[in-house]
Amino acid sequence: MEKIISYLENNFDNSVKEFFEYLRIPSISTLDESKDDIRLCASYLQEKFKSIGFKHTEIIETEGHPIVYAESLEAPGKPTVLIYGHYDVQPVDPVELWDSPPFEPEIRNGKIYARGANDNKGQNFAHIKSLEAWNKIEGKFPLNIKLLIEGEEEIGSPNLEKFLHTNREKLACDAVLISDTSMYADGVPTINYGLRGLAYMEIEVTGPNRDLHSGSFGGAVANPVNELARMISKLQDERGRIQIPGFYDDVLPVTPAEKENMTSLDFSDEEYKKELDVKELFGEAGFTTLERLWARPTLDCNGIFGGFTGKGAKTVLPSKATAKISMRLVPNQDPKKIAQLFTDYVNKIAPDRVKVKVTDLHGGSPVVIPIESKAIGIASAALEKAFGKKVVYTREGGSIPIVVEFVRTLNAPAILMGFGLETDDIHSPNEHFRVNNLKMGMFSSAYFFDEFARNF
Ligand code: BES
Ligand code: ZN
């Protein structure tokens, strides 16, 4: 192991330069105009997989963006690990708030700034480099590896589920290793054992058949922006309780053991407020911040638009208004059922004076992973070797929709071993990844393969 770690250490500066090539490809999955860049990114990865020692690599077409896949099954008698990650990234807007261009990576204060630096290119690149080190030093990988990096995670993995179902044999493995989550705090090795699910909805409200002068018509006809705002205000009360009938029916309460774990993590509301520059926190009454983030469902308006949104003032009574609303879900809520409850409720509160259309954009199921498994024990041991510290177990407020499908379809445990920080501004301007966490990711990955090959 020492040789592998030294190799990673000695080549680290070059690895960072190489990482920048990956970051320069603007692989934004949600934008039609990024299609070619998505393909470029897939080819880049395929070449990379070849260069680190995979003889079998594929670009697998889907109805959307391609999956990049590689396998090395040359370790008979050894376990098989499937590594999952995503090469697609979120859009960059508002681009004017970036201190350096999102696809021109730059290091400032020990942090790599670029879209995808953390989510998820940096985290999957750590595994790529650790595999390369294994191959360079030992001439082979210590176990069987399947590597699957997809291009549609940020849009809800719409085509991956089908691929999993039709490729059970191909993807069969003893564990799925995923680095796409955060550490509890910098320098604290973390295994994440839960992700929230998601139901993402759009409400479109239409009033008059065209934009109108707000003086000539205002007061005589309903304004879709006003109506939409009124409807949104009925989705949640002032104590943070969601008002959709049946919304909480399937929510599993936080167990005493989990409560104890969360308390032991000594989270500071004061520091959290300071970091976010807010006077008060807000969430569902009766729960702590960690409970609200990890184990309670939420509803948030992600965007609202309609009418005039430019600089200055323009008097207009708009014809249309739209809101994008997400609900984060927890076990055992079902995204399809929640989407239906949402649609029914919005239609019920919609006034007759406007037309209201509700669309289910995408969803994903929540997941909780038992931490008592052998695979998680091995991952913890590897992290403790890399960091020289005890692992903590956390849940995550964010979602990775496909995780639950991996667990169900492949019947293998998922190991969520992330190296990001909640403060890395993923999805926001100035996304970054600490240089040192890229390195710790590489070390942890290298130790993990060793431990898993020997002990599983
Ligand atoms: N890497 C994130 C998941 C995550 C979020 C980890 C927050 C740690 C903190 C993942 O790429 C992501 O953003 N998922 C989306 C899924 C959605 C688009 C279906 C999310 O959570 O919004
Ligand atoms: Zn993301």
Side-chain angles (χ1 to χ4, degrees), residues 86 90 119 153-156 180-182 198 328 362 396 398-401 422 426-427:
H86 61 96
Q90 286 276 335
D119 184 10
E153 194 273 346
E154 298 292 7
I155 50 172
D180 194 21
T181 47
S182 311
L198 187 73
R328 295 282 170 178
H362 63 70
E396 178 66 66
S399 314
I400 308 175
E422 294 287 288
I426 65 171
H427 295 208

Side-chain angles (χ1 to χ4, degrees), residues 41-223:
C41 199
S43 309
Y44 167 86
L45 274 182
Q46 185 184 28
E47 289 311 310
K48 186 100 314 187
F49 294 172
K50 284 184 194 162
S51 79
I52 62 171
F54 283 93
K55 293 190 194 94
H56 176 99
T57 66
E58 290 176 69
I59 290 189
I60 300 166
E61 295 300 332
T62 72
E63 277 172 38
H65 303 314
I67 295 164
V68 194
Y69 180 77
E71 64 182 28
S72 164
L73 306 176
E74 290 141 36
K78 293 290 180 189
T80 302
V81 170
L82 171 70
I83 302 167
Y84 164 78
H86 61 96
Y87 67 84
D88 66 318
V89 299
Q90 286 276 335
V92 298
D93 33 24
V95 69
E96 66 279 8
L97 297 185
W98 285 76
D99 295 328
S100 53
F103 296 108
E104 291 172 29
E106 202 176 287
I107 299 180
R108 300 192 297 274
N109 297 325
K111 298 165 192 162
I112 301 165
Y113 285 85
R115 173 58 88 228
N118 162 330
D119 184 10
N120 171 252
K121 289 176 174 172
Q123 303 217 46
N124 59 59
F125 194 74
H127 293 300
I128 292 174
K129 282 284 136 182
S130 115
L131 288 168
E132 180 188 59
W134 266 100
N135 196 39
K136 276 262 153 58
I137 300 300
E138 299 291 334
K140 58 181 194 250
F141 305 134
L143 71 182
N144 300 302
I145 299 277
K146 298 178 178 180
L147 192 47
L148 187 165
I149 312 289
E150 71 149 322
E152 300 192 308
E153 194 273 346
E154 298 292 7
I155 50 172
S157 303
N159 294 296
L160 192 55
E161 189 176 331
K162 189 165 137 209
F163 179 74
L164 287 192
H165 290 162
T166 47
N167 288 278
R168 276 171 217 258
E169 283 303 309
K170 184 185 178 87
L171 302 176
C173 60
D174 297 296
V176 184
L177 177 63
I178 304 169
S179 295
D180 194 21
T181 47
S182 311
M183 297 189 284
Y184 184 64
D186 200 22
V188 178
T190 305
I191 300 259
N192 187 280
Y193 68 93
L195 295 160
R196 286 198 286 194
L198 187 73
Y200 202 114
M201 313 294 294
E202 184 171 289
I203 309 179
E204 188 187 73
V205 178
T206 309
N209 59 6
R210 59 191 188 281
D211 282 6
L212 302 170
H213 188 287
S214 65
S216 311
F217 294 87
V221 60
N223 179 327

